[in-house]
Each structure stands twice: as structure tokens, then as C-alpha cells.
Amino acid sequence: MSGRAKALIDLGALRNNCDVVRRLVGNDCQILAMIKADAYGHGLLKVADALSEVDALGVANLDEALLLRQRNIKTPVIVMSGFLSQEELSLFPENNLAAVVHHDAQLALLEKVSLQTPLAVWLKIDTGMHRLGFSPDNVNTVVKRLKRCASVQADFGLMTHLADADNVDRQFTQAQLSEFFEVTQSLSQLKSIANSAGILAYRESFQDMVRPGIMLYGVSPFSDRVGLDDHLQPVMHLTSQVIATKDLKQGDKVGYGCTWESPEDMRIAVVGIGYGDGYPRHAKNGTPVLINGVRCPLVGRVSMDMITVDLRHQPDVSVGDEVVLWGRGLPVETIAAAADTIAYELLCQLTRRIAFVYV
Ligand SMILES: *Cc1c(COP(=O)(O)O)cnc(C)c1O
């Protein structure tokens, strides 16, 4: 595997992070582990297997859920977008899947069909994200209709999603929480609000079920923190190798567009990873990589297959040496900040060229 980038996935770290959630929320609260988008790029099935102890798994769409069932994963699964047609709806009870119901069109379908096995449902209320969910004004009516619906299990839950819980300004989240509590207080249904930021910053958002995503993978949802600050361990450790070193003369230019110029005679390393692997092309000059334990800054543009790295602080480098792009010792949050994005995106966008190794 020469010069090929490798993602080491530490399933022990994943379980540790799940334990962190469990300790925070206590034993009476259910954990719905969010594993949409291929488990945030970590591998849907391996992660689902490793998390078999959680109360339920959350995916974005029916295809992700069916993949889990085809691979014989028995854990309860909740599909965040629910169903879009009668054909899709019929697959839910058949595959023992629960659906988030967030739209009138879904409610109309539920009232039209007669399912042999009633569907498990989470009713989504829009308290301010303005993406999916029923308006708080309609909740009473929708709840009444669901209760009358023979194709829906009587013990459906109520949920909402926080839009701004990672913000130090707590005003918007407090308003969402108040709105949710106001419209649901008289209802005896199970309730669910919290994403990772809710779990870490709003105790009152725990309710009956929390929905951690990014924190399970060891990453902080807050821009001013890293996972380790909350005892979370990075699950993904992304590495590659030095494929060449090069001695530059002062004034030599490096990479496409000749955007970087050597300020003095110096050595650089060429590392076998690029945007074709999912390393962010917008990573700026100065973005760190770890070579033999030392942080070395990126210089020049990220290419499809390669990046170039300043070795002035690390003279001790040979071809074949391992390079850490993110993971233990180099938080993905740091790289995300240097590429003007969020760690969620970096984790999700690794390509099939990366070799995944599970430990
Ligand atoms: C993705 C998602 C989550 C998890 O969000 P994180 O910020 O990754 O913890 C929770 N709830 C819903 C509805 C989601 O789509």
C-alpha cells in the first residue's frame, strides 16, 4: 500500500464516546446513535455493529436503513426523512423501521393505507430550524390525527431539532426549547430534542431520547473546542506516507498556480494524499500535518494526489515515513478550521480511494 492514504477506525474510541454520552445523560435516557452518511464517513455497517448496545440507530433515508437490514443488523432503526410514497411506506413495517413523520403528505398517506403491522413513528415539530417538521400551531391537530390512525403505533414520539445549539449565544436554543415544551407539555408521548451540542450544553434537552452524531466520532460540535476537551477520543486516524522529499532554492515555486514561493533554501516533503482522497483542497498554507510527531505546515496548493509540506522544523524525514493528516495528536477540528469548513464535512467526504482499516 505504498503512498496510499489509510483511515484507521478505532471502534474502541467509538464505544468510549458512546459511554461518555451514557454518563452524561444517565441510564433512563435512550440513545439514538446517528449513523447517517455512512456513519459520518466511518463506515455504516462496521459502526452499526460496534454500537449494537445503543437503543436505536438513526439514518437519513430509507436506503441507508435497508442496507442495515440487508446486513442483518437487528437494532431498532429510525429514518429521519421518513417515506415519500406508498411503496416506500410499505417497506417500513416489513423491515421493522421507524419513520420520522414531518409533513402533511406523509400524514395523508398514513391515513390512506392500512398496514398490517402499525408503523412506529416520531412526529417532528419545527421549532425554528425551518427545514423539516410541522409548525407548532398544527401539533395538536396532527397528534389527534395520528392517534386516530390505525396504521400508526399508539406510542409515537415527539421530536424537534436544534439549529444553533453550538452557539455560545444561547438565546435561539432557549427559544426552541421553550416552544417545544409549550406545545408538548400536556402530551404524554416520549420526547427527543438533543443532538451532540444539546447533549454537551443543554441538560434540559435530554428528555427521553438523545440523538448524538458527531460526538460519537470523537469530534466537538463547538468551534472553540476539540473532542478531547469533553473526554471524547477521535475515532478516525487518517494517515499517508512521504512519497518524496525535495530540496528547494530560495525563490523556487511549489505546486499548481505557483502560489507558494520558498523564502529560503529549504526542504519539503511530498505526501501521498490530495483532494482525490477527500483531503480538503481549500486547506490553507500553514495547515498542519504530523510527521514523526512534529507538526509541519502545508505549503502550496493541495493537488489531486499530493500535498507539499514545509520540513524546516522537521529535518528528520525519509521517504516512506508515516504522515498523520488528522486523528490522534492532530484534531480534525483543527484541519476543518484551516480549510474554512467543519469537521463533519471532512469526515464525510473521504473517497473510495482511502483504505479503511478497523481496529
Ligand atoms: C444528524 C442529526 C443529529 C446529530 O447531530 P450531531 O450534531 O452530529 O450530533 C441529530 N438529530 C437529527 C435529526 C439529525 O439529522
Side-chain angles (χ1 to χ4, degrees):
M1 234 185 311
S2 72
R4 185 174 174 197
K6 187 165 81 173
L8 204 79
I9 305 297
D10 182 350
L11 297 172
L14 181 72
R15 288 191 206 95
N16 164 79
N17 301 337
C18 199
D19 291 344
V20 170
V21 176
R22 176 53 75 203
R23 280 199 297 277
L24 281 168
V25 303
N27 287 326
D28 297 334
C29 184
Q30 293 184 38
I31 297 177
L32 169 66
M34 297 305 299
I35 58 166
K36 61 198 180 193
D38 202 25
Y40 291 50
H42 293 68
L44 181 74
L45 298 166
K46 287 286 204 308
V47 167
D49 264 332
L51 291 177
S52 60
E53 303 293 300
V54 298
D55 300 286
L57 300 169
V59 294
N61 57 49
L62 180 58
D63 282 359
E64 292 177 335
L66 292 177
L67 214 58
L68 291 169
R69 290 298 182 244
Q70 280 155 18
R71 297 302 182 85
N72 223 19
I73 295 202
K74 302 277 202 261
T75 317
V77 171
I78 307 178
V79 181
M80 293 299 130
S81 59
F83 44 87
L84 298 181
S85 66
Q86 194 165 333
E87 294 69 47
E88 284 190 8
L89 171 54
S90 67
L91 290 170
F92 275 74
E94 259 174 50
N95 290 281
N96 189 25
L97 305 171
V100 170
V101 169
H102 55 81
H103 198 277
D104 270 328
Q106 294 173 316
L107 200 52
L109 268 177
L110 284 170
E111 287 172 334
K112 191 175 105 181
V113 297
S114 58
L115 300 172
Q116 275 175 348
T117 321
L119 182 70
V121 162
W122 282 85
L123 176 64
K124 189 160 192 180
I125 304 169
D126 177 10
T127 55
M129 173 76 100
H130 295 128
R131 224 171 41 174
L132 301 184
F134 290 92
S135 144
D137 297 341
N138 298 335
V139 168
N140 275 329
T141 321
V142 174
V143 165
K144 279 195 196 111
R145 283 170 68 185
L146 276 180
K147 282 183 174 166
R148 278 201 302 267
C149 199
S151 290
V152 172
Q153 286 181 20
D155 59 349
F156 61 86
L158 304 170
M159 65 181 281
T160 194
H161 194 39
L162 300 175
D164 200 31
D166 56 324
N167 194 336
V168 285
D169 181 345
R170 300 170 75 84
Q171 203 179 340
F172 195 84
T173 303
Q174 296 292 8
Q176 282 199 277
L177 292 171
S178 304
E179 177 91 70
F180 185 77
F181 294 140
E182 195 180 313
V183 292
T184 62
Q185 66 183 1
S186 62
L187 302 167
S188 60
Q189 264 76 18
L190 292 185
K191 299 178 181 89
S192 174
I193 305 173
N195 54 5
S196 297
I199 293 167
L200 291 165
Y202 295 87
R203 172 161 285 276
E204 64 274 38
S205 72
F206 294 173
Q207 300 294 304
D208 302 297
M209 184 176 78
V210 291
R211 308 191 305 271
I214 197 74
M215 68 183 294
L216 291 176
Y217 307 99
V219 176
S220 176
F222 307 110
S223 60
D224 60 342
R225 293 173 77 79
V226 296
L228 283 176
D229 295 333
D230 291 298
H231 311 288
L232 303 167
Q233 298 168 5
V235 176
M236 184 188 290
H237 188 67
L238 181 67
T239 66
S240 190
Q241 287 174 299
V242 173
I243 58 176
T245 57
K246 187 165 290 281
D247 292 307
L248 302 178
K249 291 265 177 292
Q250 182 185 12
D252 283 350
K253 310 233 190 310
V254 174
Y256 286 117
C258 306
T259 57
W260 192 81
E261 187 178 306
S262 168
E264 59 183 314
D265 292 0
M266 60 178 280
R267 173 171 281 195
I268 60 167
V270 182
V271 180
I273 192 165
Y275 63 79
D277 302 279
Y279 190 85
R281 202 185 80 89
H282 296 289
K284 292 195 261 297
N285 282 321
T287 303
V289 307
L290 266 190
I291 309 186
N292 300 329
V294 176
R295 284 190 184 207
C296 306
L298 209 81
V299 294
R301 279 194 192 152
V302 171
S303 310
M304 187 184 288
D305 316 306
M306 285 171 258
I307 56 175
T308 36
V309 176
D310 181 341
L311 289 182
R312 278 177 292 178
H313 295 293
Q314 175 52 299
D316 184 22
V317 171
S318 316
V319 167
D321 282 357
E322 187 181 82
V323 180
V324 177
L325 288 319
W326 63 67
R328 288 190 306 279
L330 186 60
V332 64
E333 293 93 322
T334 304
I335 311 307
D340 294 323
T341 183
I342 53 175
Y344 295 76
E345 187 185 36
L346 296 190
L347 296 173
C348 284
Q349 74 182 11
L350 292 187
T351 68
R352 280 170 297 182
R353 195 152 73 158
I354 303 276
F356 277 76
V357 180
Y358 291 85
V359 293

Short mmCIF file of all heavy atoms in Angstrom, two decimals, residues 2 58 64 76 94 99 109 117 126 145 151 172 184 188-189 205 212 218-219 243 262 264 277 337-339 344:
data_model
loop_
_atom_site.label_atom_id
_atom_site.label_comp_id
_atom_site.label_asym_id
_atom_site.label_seq_id
_atom_site.Cartn_x
_atom_site.Cartn_y
_atom_site.Cartn_z
N SER A 2 1.71 1.40 -1.03
CA SER A 2 2.70 2.46 -0.98
C SER A 2 2.07 3.80 -1.31
O SER A 2 1.42 3.95 -2.35
CB SER A 2 3.84 2.16 -1.95
OG SER A 2 3.39 2.32 -3.26
N GLY A 58 -29.90 5.96 13.97
CA GLY A 58 -30.59 6.96 13.16
C GLY A 58 -29.93 7.11 11.81
O GLY A 58 -28.70 7.27 11.72
N GLU A 64 -30.38 3.90 3.39
CA GLU A 64 -29.41 3.61 4.45
C GLU A 64 -29.98 2.58 5.43
O GLU A 64 -29.27 1.68 5.90
CB GLU A 64 -29.04 4.90 5.20
CG GLU A 64 -28.24 5.89 4.36
CD GLU A 64 -27.95 7.20 5.08
OE1 GLU A 64 -28.70 7.58 6.01
OE2 GLU A 64 -26.97 7.86 4.71
N PRO A 76 -33.05 -1.43 16.55
CA PRO A 76 -34.10 -0.53 16.03
C PRO A 76 -33.49 0.60 15.19
O PRO A 76 -32.43 1.12 15.54
CB PRO A 76 -34.76 0.02 17.29
CG PRO A 76 -34.52 -1.02 18.33
CD PRO A 76 -33.18 -1.64 18.01
N GLU A 94 -42.37 -3.79 7.08
CA GLU A 94 -41.74 -5.02 6.58
C GLU A 94 -40.33 -5.19 7.11
O GLU A 94 -39.87 -6.31 7.33
CB GLU A 94 -41.62 -4.96 5.05
CG GLU A 94 -42.66 -5.72 4.28
CD GLU A 94 -42.52 -5.45 2.79
OE1 GLU A 94 -41.39 -5.58 2.26
OE2 GLU A 94 -43.53 -5.11 2.16
N ALA A 99 -40.33 5.59 11.37
CA ALA A 99 -40.25 6.74 10.47
C ALA A 99 -40.47 8.04 11.23
O ALA A 99 -41.34 8.12 12.09
CB ALA A 99 -41.31 6.62 9.37
N LEU A 109 -50.80 9.97 3.55
CA LEU A 109 -50.53 8.58 3.16
C LEU A 109 -50.88 7.62 4.30
O LEU A 109 -51.51 6.59 4.08
CB LEU A 109 -49.05 8.40 2.83
CG LEU A 109 -48.61 8.58 1.37
CD1 LEU A 109 -47.10 8.44 1.27
CD2 LEU A 109 -49.31 7.56 0.48
N THR A 117 -48.99 -4.35 10.06
CA THR A 117 -48.28 -4.02 11.30
C THR A 117 -48.25 -2.51 11.40
O THR A 117 -47.74 -1.85 10.49
CB THR A 117 -46.82 -4.52 11.24
OG1 THR A 117 -46.81 -5.78 10.59
CG2 THR A 117 -46.21 -4.60 12.61
N ASP A 126 -41.34 21.55 14.06
CA ASP A 126 -40.37 22.57 13.64
C ASP A 126 -40.41 23.73 14.64
O ASP A 126 -41.32 24.54 14.62
CB ASP A 126 -40.72 23.04 12.24
CG ASP A 126 -39.79 24.15 11.77
OD1 ASP A 126 -38.78 24.41 12.45
OD2 ASP A 126 -40.09 24.75 10.73
N ARG A 145 -54.82 13.40 14.76
CA ARG A 145 -54.95 12.58 13.55
C ARG A 145 -54.11 11.32 13.66
O ARG A 145 -54.56 10.23 13.29
CB ARG A 145 -54.55 13.39 12.32
CG ARG A 145 -55.65 14.39 11.90
CD ARG A 145 -55.17 15.35 10.85
NE ARG A 145 -54.91 14.69 9.56
CZ ARG A 145 -54.40 15.33 8.50
NH1 ARG A 145 -54.08 16.61 8.58
NH2 ARG A 145 -54.20 14.68 7.37
N SER A 151 -52.92 2.75 11.24
CA SER A 151 -51.62 2.28 10.73
C SER A 151 -50.43 2.81 11.52
O SER A 151 -49.29 2.58 11.15
CB SER A 151 -51.46 2.67 9.26
OG SER A 151 -52.36 1.93 8.46
N PHE A 172 -31.32 31.58 20.91
CA PHE A 172 -32.14 30.88 19.91
C PHE A 172 -32.52 29.48 20.40
O PHE A 172 -33.66 29.04 20.27
CB PHE A 172 -31.42 30.80 18.56
CG PHE A 172 -32.34 30.42 17.43
CD1 PHE A 172 -33.09 31.39 16.78
CD2 PHE A 172 -32.48 29.10 17.05
CE1 PHE A 172 -33.97 31.04 15.76
CE2 PHE A 172 -33.35 28.74 16.02
CZ PHE A 172 -34.10 29.71 15.37
N THR A 184 -45.75 20.62 23.81
CA THR A 184 -45.79 19.18 24.12
C THR A 184 -46.08 18.88 25.60
O THR A 184 -46.25 17.73 25.96
CB THR A 184 -44.46 18.48 23.76
OG1 THR A 184 -43.41 19.05 24.55
CG2 THR A 184 -44.14 18.63 22.28
N SER A 188 -48.38 13.01 26.64
CA SER A 188 -47.65 12.01 27.43
C SER A 188 -46.61 11.26 26.59
O SER A 188 -45.91 10.40 27.08
CB SER A 188 -48.64 10.99 27.99
OG SER A 188 -49.31 10.37 26.91
N GLN A 189 -46.48 11.61 25.31
CA GLN A 189 -45.56 10.91 24.41
C GLN A 189 -44.09 11.03 24.85
O GLN A 189 -43.72 11.98 25.53
CB GLN A 189 -45.68 11.51 23.01
CG GLN A 189 -46.59 10.79 22.06
CD GLN A 189 -48.05 11.04 22.34
OE1 GLN A 189 -48.39 12.00 23.02
NE2 GLN A 189 -48.89 10.17 21.81
N SER A 205 -32.39 19.50 27.46
CA SER A 205 -32.73 18.94 26.15
C SER A 205 -32.64 17.41 26.13
O SER A 205 -32.95 16.79 25.13
CB SER A 205 -31.79 19.51 25.07
OG SER A 205 -30.49 18.97 25.18
N PRO A 212 -27.10 11.67 19.56
CA PRO A 212 -25.72 12.09 19.30
C PRO A 212 -25.25 11.65 17.93
O PRO A 212 -25.54 10.54 17.48
CB PRO A 212 -24.92 11.37 20.38
CG PRO A 212 -25.73 10.14 20.68
CD PRO A 212 -27.16 10.57 20.53
N GLY A 218 -15.93 11.36 18.16
CA GLY A 218 -14.83 11.96 18.92
C GLY A 218 -14.60 13.42 18.62
O GLY A 218 -13.56 13.97 18.97
N VAL A 219 -15.58 14.05 17.98
CA VAL A 219 -15.39 15.41 17.50
C VAL A 219 -16.33 16.35 18.24
O VAL A 219 -17.50 16.02 18.48
CB VAL A 219 -15.64 15.47 15.98
CG1 VAL A 219 -15.56 16.90 15.46
CG2 VAL A 219 -14.66 14.57 15.25
N ILE A 243 6.10 10.48 0.05
CA ILE A 243 6.48 9.77 -1.18
C ILE A 243 7.73 10.40 -1.82
O ILE A 243 8.34 9.79 -2.68
CB ILE A 243 5.32 9.68 -2.20
CG1 ILE A 243 4.79 11.05 -2.60
CG2 ILE A 243 4.17 8.84 -1.62
CD1 ILE A 243 3.70 10.96 -3.68
N SER A 262 9.39 29.58 -2.03
CA SER A 262 10.30 29.26 -0.93
C SER A 262 11.03 30.51 -0.44
O SER A 262 11.69 31.18 -1.23
CB SER A 262 11.30 28.21 -1.44
OG SER A 262 12.34 28.08 -0.54
N GLU A 264 13.53 30.67 1.54
CA GLU A 264 14.97 30.41 1.74
C GLU A 264 15.29 29.02 1.20
O GLU A 264 14.38 28.28 0.81
CB GLU A 264 15.29 30.47 3.25
CG GLU A 264 14.48 29.47 4.06
CD GLU A 264 14.74 29.57 5.57
OE1 GLU A 264 15.91 29.66 5.96
OE2 GLU A 264 13.75 29.55 6.33
N ASP A 277 -8.59 12.09 -2.60
CA ASP A 277 -8.84 11.20 -1.45
C ASP A 277 -9.86 11.80 -0.49
O ASP A 277 -10.29 11.14 0.45
CB ASP A 277 -7.54 10.98 -0.67
CG ASP A 277 -6.45 10.40 -1.53
OD1 ASP A 277 -6.44 9.18 -1.74
OD2 ASP A 277 -5.59 11.18 -2.00
N ALA A 337 -10.92 23.96 10.61
CA ALA A 337 -10.81 25.41 10.76
C ALA A 337 -9.86 25.97 9.70
O ALA A 337 -10.14 27.01 9.10
CB ALA A 337 -10.32 25.76 12.17
N ALA A 338 -8.77 25.27 9.42
CA ALA A 338 -7.79 25.74 8.43
C ALA A 338 -8.34 25.67 7.01
O ALA A 338 -7.81 26.31 6.11
CB ALA A 338 -6.50 24.93 8.54
N ALA A 339 -9.40 24.87 6.81
CA ALA A 339 -9.98 24.75 5.48
C ALA A 339 -11.33 25.46 5.40
O ALA A 339 -12.10 25.25 4.46
CB ALA A 339 -10.15 23.27 5.11
N TYR A 344 -17.46 17.80 10.34
CA TYR A 344 -18.48 16.92 9.76
C TYR A 344 -18.19 16.69 8.27
O TYR A 344 -18.26 15.58 7.77
CB TYR A 344 -19.87 17.56 9.83
CG TYR A 344 -20.49 17.83 11.18
CD1 TYR A 344 -20.08 18.88 11.97
CD2 TYR A 344 -21.56 17.05 11.63
CE1 TYR A 344 -20.71 19.18 13.18
CE2 TYR A 344 -22.21 17.33 12.83
CZ TYR A 344 -21.77 18.41 13.60
OH TYR A 344 -22.39 18.69 14.77
#
